[in-house]
Coordinates of all heavy atoms in Angstrom, one line a residue:
R765 N 90.4 101.9 111.0 CA 89.5 100.7 110.9 C 90.0 99.7 109.9 O 90.5 100.1 108.8 CB 88.1 101.1 110.6 CG 87.5 102.2 111.3 CD 86.8 102.0 112.6 NE 86.0 100.9 112.8 CZ 85.7 100.4 114.0 NH1 86.3 100.9 115.1 NH2 84.9 99.4 114.2
D766 N 89.9 98.4 110.2 CA 90.2 97.3 109.3 C 88.9 96.7 108.8 O 88.1 96.3 109.6 CB 91.1 96.3 110.0 CG 91.4 95.1 109.2 OD1 90.6 94.8 108.2 OD2 92.4 94.4 109.5
Y767 N 88.6 96.8 107.5 CA 87.4 96.3 107.0 C 87.5 94.9 106.3 O 86.6 94.5 105.6 CB 86.8 97.3 106.0 CG 86.5 98.7 106.6 CD1 87.4 99.7 106.5 CD2 85.3 98.8 107.4 CE1 87.1 100.9 107.1 CE2 85.1 100.0 108.0 CZ 85.9 101.1 107.9 OH 85.7 102.3 108.5
T768 N 88.6 94.2 106.5 CA 88.7 93.0 105.8 C 87.9 91.8 106.4 O 87.7 90.8 105.7 CB 90.2 92.5 105.9 OG1 90.6 92.4 107.2 CG2 91.1 93.5 105.1
T769 N 87.4 92.0 107.6 CA 86.6 90.9 108.2 C 85.1 91.3 108.4 O 84.3 90.4 108.6 CB 87.1 90.5 109.6 OG1 87.2 91.6 110.4 CG2 88.5 89.9 109.4
S770 N 84.8 92.6 108.3 CA 83.4 93.0 108.5 C 83.2 94.4 108.0 O 84.1 95.2 107.8 CB 83.0 92.9 110.0 OG 83.5 94.0 110.7
Q771 N 81.9 94.7 107.6 CA 81.6 96.1 107.2 C 81.8 97.1 108.2 O 82.1 98.3 107.9 CB 80.2 96.1 106.6 CG 80.0 95.4 105.3 CD 78.6 95.6 104.7 OE1 77.6 95.7 105.5 NE2 78.5 95.6 103.4
E772 N 81.6 96.7 109.5 CA 81.8 97.7 110.6 C 83.2 98.0 110.8 O 83.6 99.0 111.3 CB 81.2 97.1 111.9 CG 79.7 96.9 111.9 CD 79.3 95.5 111.2 OE1 80.1 94.6 111.4 OE2 78.3 95.5 110.5
G773 N 84.1 97.0 110.6 CA 85.5 97.1 110.7 C 86.0 96.9 112.1 O 85.2 97.0 113.1
S774 N 87.2 96.6 112.3 CA 87.9 96.4 113.6 C 88.7 97.6 113.8 O 89.3 98.2 112.9 CB 88.7 95.2 113.6 OG 88.0 94.0 113.4
E775 N 88.9 98.0 115.1 CA 89.7 99.2 115.4 C 91.2 98.9 115.2 O 91.6 97.8 115.5 CB 89.4 99.6 116.9 CG 90.1 100.8 117.3 CD 89.7 101.2 118.7 OE1 88.6 101.0 119.1 OE2 90.6 101.8 119.4
I776 N 91.9 99.9 114.7 CA 93.3 99.8 114.5 C 94.0 100.9 115.3 O 93.5 102.0 115.4 CB 93.7 100.0 113.0 CG1 93.1 98.9 112.1 CG2 95.3 100.0 112.9 CD1 93.4 99.2 110.7
S777 N 95.0 100.6 116.0 CA 95.8 101.6 116.7 C 97.3 101.1 116.7 O 97.6 99.9 116.7 CB 95.4 101.8 118.2 OG 95.6 100.6 118.9
G778 N 98.2 102.1 116.7 CA 99.6 101.7 116.7 C 100.5 102.9 116.3 O 100.1 104.0 116.5
E779 N 101.7 102.5 115.9 CA 102.8 103.5 115.6 C 103.5 103.1 114.4 O 103.7 101.9 114.1 CB 103.8 103.5 116.8 CG 104.9 104.5 116.6 CD 105.9 104.5 117.8 OE1 106.1 103.5 118.3 OE2 106.3 105.6 118.1
E780 N 103.9 104.1 113.6 CA 104.8 103.9 112.4 C 106.0 104.8 112.6 O 105.8 106.0 113.1 CB 104.1 104.3 111.1 CG 102.9 103.4 110.8 CD 102.2 103.8 109.5 OE1 102.8 104.5 108.7 OE2 101.2 103.2 109.2
V781 N 107.2 104.4 112.3 CA 108.4 105.2 112.4 C 109.1 105.1 111.0 O 109.3 104.0 110.5 CB 109.3 104.7 113.5 CG1 110.6 105.5 113.5 CG2 108.6 104.7 114.8
Y782 N 109.4 106.3 110.5 CA 110.2 106.4 109.2 C 111.5 107.1 109.5 O 111.4 108.2 110.1 CB 109.4 107.2 108.2 CG 108.1 106.5 107.7 CD1 106.9 106.6 108.5 CD2 108.1 105.8 106.6 CE1 105.8 106.1 108.1 CE2 106.9 105.2 106.1 CZ 105.7 105.3 106.9 OH 104.6 104.7 106.5
E783 N 112.6 106.6 109.1 CA 113.9 107.3 109.3 C 114.8 106.9 108.2 O 114.7 105.9 107.6 CB 114.5 106.9 110.7 CG 114.7 105.5 111.0 CD 115.0 105.2 112.4 OE1 115.3 106.1 113.2 OE2 115.0 104.0 112.8
W784 N 115.7 107.9 107.9 CA 116.7 107.7 106.8 C 117.7 106.6 107.2 O 118.1 106.5 108.3 CB 117.5 108.9 106.6 CG 116.6 110.1 106.0 CD1 116.3 111.2 106.7 CD2 116.0 110.2 104.8 NE1 115.5 112.0 105.9 CE2 115.3 111.4 104.7 CE3 116.0 109.3 103.6 CZ2 114.6 111.8 103.6 CZ3 115.3 109.8 102.5 CH2 114.6 111.0 102.5
L785 N 118.0 105.7 106.2 CA 119.1 104.8 106.4 C 120.4 105.6 106.3 O 120.6 106.3 105.3 CB 119.0 103.7 105.3 CG 120.1 102.6 105.4 CD1 119.8 101.7 106.6 CD2 120.0 101.7 104.1
P786 N 121.2 105.5 107.4 CA 122.4 106.4 107.4 C 123.2 106.3 106.1 O 123.5 105.2 105.6 CB 123.2 105.9 108.6 CG 122.1 105.3 109.5 CD 121.1 104.7 108.6
G787 N 123.5 107.5 105.6 CA 124.4 107.6 104.4 C 123.7 107.2 103.1 O 124.4 107.0 102.1
S788 N 122.4 107.2 103.1 CA 121.7 106.8 101.8 C 120.4 107.6 101.7 O 119.9 108.2 102.6 CB 121.4 105.3 101.8 OG 120.3 105.0 102.6
P789 N 119.8 107.6 100.5 CA 118.5 108.2 100.2 C 117.4 107.3 100.5 O 116.3 107.4 99.9 CB 118.6 108.7 98.8 CG 119.4 107.6 98.2 CD 120.4 107.2 99.2
L790 N 117.6 106.3 101.3 CA 116.5 105.3 101.6 C 115.9 105.5 102.9 O 116.5 105.9 103.9 CB 117.1 103.9 101.5 CG 117.8 103.4 100.3 CD1 118.5 102.1 100.5 CD2 116.8 103.4 99.1
L791 N 114.6 105.3 103.0 CA 113.8 105.3 104.2 C 113.6 103.9 104.7 O 113.2 103.0 104.0 CB 112.5 106.0 104.0 CG 112.4 107.5 104.1 CD1 110.9 107.9 103.9 CD2 113.0 108.1 105.3
V792 N 113.8 103.7 106.0 CA 113.5 102.5 106.7 C 112.2 102.8 107.5 O 112.1 103.8 108.2 CB 114.6 102.0 107.7 CG1 114.2 100.8 108.4 CG2 115.9 101.8 106.9
N793 N 111.2 101.9 107.3 CA 110.0 102.2 108.1 C 109.7 100.9 108.9 O 109.9 99.8 108.4 CB 108.8 102.7 107.3 CG 108.3 101.7 106.3 OD1 109.0 101.1 105.6 ND2 107.0 101.5 106.3
N794 N 109.2 101.1 110.1 CA 108.8 100.0 111.0 C 107.4 100.4 111.5 O 107.1 101.6 111.7 CB 109.7 99.9 112.2 CG 111.1 99.5 111.8 OD1 111.3 98.3 111.6 ND2 112.0 100.4 111.7
W795 N 106.6 99.4 111.7 CA 105.2 99.6 112.2 C 104.8 98.5 113.2 O 105.3 97.4 113.1 CB 104.2 99.8 111.1 CG 104.0 98.6 110.3 CD1 103.1 97.6 110.5 CD2 104.7 98.3 109.1 NE1 103.2 96.6 109.4 CE2 104.2 97.1 108.6 CE3 105.7 98.9 108.3 CZ2 104.7 96.5 107.4 CZ3 106.2 98.3 107.2 CH2 105.6 97.1 106.7
C796 N 104.0 98.9 114.1 CA 103.4 98.0 115.1 C 102.0 98.5 115.3 O 101.8 99.6 115.7 CB 104.1 97.9 116.4 SG 103.4 96.8 117.5
R797 N 101.0 97.7 114.8 CA 99.6 98.1 115.0 C 98.9 96.9 115.6 O 99.2 95.8 115.5 CB 99.0 98.3 113.6 CG 99.6 99.4 112.8 CD 98.9 99.6 111.5 NE 99.7 100.4 110.6 CZ 100.2 100.0 109.4 NH1 99.9 98.8 109.0 NH2 100.9 100.8 108.7
Y798 N 97.8 97.3 116.3 CA 96.9 96.3 116.8 C 95.6 96.5 116.1 O 95.0 97.5 115.9 CB 96.7 96.5 118.3 CG 97.9 96.1 119.1 CD1 98.9 97.0 119.3 CD2 98.0 94.8 119.6 CE1 100.1 96.6 120.0 CE2 99.1 94.4 120.3 CZ 100.1 95.3 120.5 OH 101.3 94.9 121.1
V799 N 95.2 95.3 115.5 CA 93.9 95.3 114.8 C 93.0 94.5 115.8 O 93.2 93.3 115.9 CB 94.0 94.6 113.4 CG1 92.6 94.5 112.8 CG2 95.0 95.3 112.6
G800 N 92.1 95.2 116.5 CA 91.4 94.6 117.6 C 92.5 94.2 118.6 O 93.3 95.1 119.0
E801 N 92.7 93.0 119.0 CA 93.7 92.6 119.9 C 94.9 91.9 119.2 O 95.9 91.5 119.8 CB 93.2 91.7 121.0 CG 92.2 92.4 121.8 CD 91.7 91.6 123.0 OE1 92.5 90.7 123.5 OE2 90.6 91.9 123.5
A802 N 94.8 91.7 117.9 CA 95.9 91.0 117.1 C 97.0 92.0 116.8 O 96.7 93.1 116.3 CB 95.3 90.4 115.8
R803 N 98.2 91.6 117.0 CA 99.4 92.5 116.7 C 99.8 92.2 115.3 O 100.0 91.1 114.9 CB 100.5 92.1 117.7 CG 101.7 93.0 117.5 CD 102.7 92.8 118.6 NE 103.7 93.8 118.6 CZ 105.0 93.6 118.4 NH1 105.4 92.4 118.3 NH2 105.9 94.6 118.4

């Protein structure tokens, strides 16, 4: 839930991906979420 616009909150759904940057100790993360219908 996203509570930035109302106390009831808007529904959030999506995906997050975390993977190692090849040859390093760094993680690259990408996310795509829908807050209500907003991407």
Side-chain angles (χ1 to χ4, degrees):
R765 310 270 325 153
D766 176 336
Y767 297 100
T768 59
T769 58
S770 72
Q771 288 185 329
E772 299 82 35
S774 300
E775 186 174 326
I776 299 173
S777 63
E779 181 181 36
E780 296 184 10
V781 177
Y782 296 83
E783 53 192 350
W784 295 110
L785 183 64
S788 80
L790 301 173
L791 276 184
V792 177
N793 67 309
N794 293 282
W795 62 90
C796 181
R797 299 184 195 116
Y798 287 86
V799 180
E801 294 187 24
R803 183 171 191 239

